[in-house]
Amino acid sequence: MIADPREMKLGLADYLALPEDEDREREIIRGKLYVSPNPGLEHQWILIVLNSWLLDYLKLHGEDPRQLMFGTDLLIDNRNTYFSPDLMYFSRDQMGVLEQIKRSTGRVDASVVTPVMALEVLSESNRARDLVEKLNEYEWAGIRHYWIIDSKERSFREFVLDQAAGRYQMFASAGGVVRPQLFAGNQPPFDLDLDRLFG
């Protein structure tokens, strides 16, 4: 019996076979291929600034800068979902597993090590996908914090996983200084200045 092409789902082999393209971003979510233009300069600038702030903050707390990963593939294989979050953060005790990943595939398998936080900077081409499909995938994978940076609305959203319920709770801010829940227990806290970030 021949499978109905409408029911066929793309998998890891299909994702790995996708061609490299400087102008296009390719993702597979729940077996469906999404192709969109690569993010623009504003998107990149926000990531560069945020990266700098987070690295400074991690160093202040004696953390390893390798706990941050940018543009690294995240594989959620049992959901036929494969994409590269703009940024992922891992805890210090996950570093051993991350070193093994670096020496082998260079891709993060969520069934082996789950990021503590994933971040997406919204672009017009990926807005709906990041707010709906990716949110659902991150929640399902058990990623405790999902950050969304929205330059259009000049806002920050942090989705924090209620582990008992298995659902995200949203904390949102527009403008001013935000203190994300991810680092709430740290002193000094991490201050995310949205006005500077979007300025």
Side-chain angles (χ1 to χ4, degrees):
M1 181 176 178
I2 299 174
D4 184 339
R6 292 170 300 180
E7 297 176 2
M8 291 176 67
K9 289 187 174 182
L10 300 176
L12 179 58
D14 301 297
Y15 181 70
L16 298 179
L18 291 172
E20 293 288 331
D21 188 340
E22 293 179 5
D23 299 323
R24 295 283 181 269
E25 181 179 76
R26 292 171 169 82
E27 304 174 311
I28 294 176
I29 301 176
R30 304 296 287 283
K32 181 179 177 183
L33 175 64
Y34 293 88
V35 180
S36 55
N38 269 339
L41 290 175
E42 182 180 34
H43 182 281
Q44 294 173 39
W45 183 82
I46 287 171
L47 278 176
I48 289 168
V49 172
L50 193 55
N51 175 38
S52 171
W53 293 350
L54 283 168
L55 285 173
D56 287 346
Y57 187 74
L58 291 179
K59 288 176 189 173
L60 179 67
H61 287 274
E63 301 288 321
D64 191 320
R66 293 173 300 169
Q67 290 170 231
L68 293 177
M69 287 190 178
F70 296 85
T72 302
D73 289 344
L74 176 64
L75 314 178
I76 308 176
D77 204 35
N78 47 3
R79 299 271 283 191
N80 291 88
T81 295
Y82 315 96
F83 45 65
S84 300
D86 287 328
L87 180 148
M88 290 184 283
Y89 166 76
F90 297 84
S91 65
R92 187 187 300 182
D93 60 8
Q94 293 174 309
M95 286 303 300
V97 179
L98 294 178
E99 284 299 316
Q100 292 174 12
I101 288 169
K102 181 181 170 186
R103 289 192 299 268
S104 58
T105 65
R107 298 177 178 90
V108 174
D109 183 340
S111 68
V112 176
V113 60
T114 305
V116 174
M117 180 268 282
L119 175 143
E120 300 287 357
V121 177
L122 297 187
S123 301
E124 281 308 309
S125 60
N126 67 10
R127 188 177 191 83
R129 196 158 62 248
D130 287 353
L131 288 169
V132 180
E133 282 97 347
K134 284 189 182 179
L135 185 143
N136 290 334
E137 296 308 306
Y138 290 144
E139 182 180 73
W140 185 89
I143 296 173
R144 296 195 306 259
H145 299 264
Y146 175 32
W147 291 9
I148 293 179
I149 305 285
D150 188 342
S151 59
K152 182 179 179 180
E153 295 182 359
R154 300 174 67 86
S155 69
F156 169 79
R157 294 176 203 152
E158 181 179 22
F159 295 86
V160 180
L161 189 65
D162 177 334
Q163 296 191 331
R167 306 293 298 174
Y168 277 137
Q169 179 181 4
M170 184 180 75
F171 299 85
S173 299
V177 176
V178 183
R179 289 188 169 168
Q181 299 291 310
L182 173 60
F183 300 114
N186 292 355
Q187 289 299 327
F190 178 66
D191 289 335
L192 177 55
D193 189 331
L194 296 179
D195 295 331
R196 282 181 62 206
L197 183 65
F198 299 127

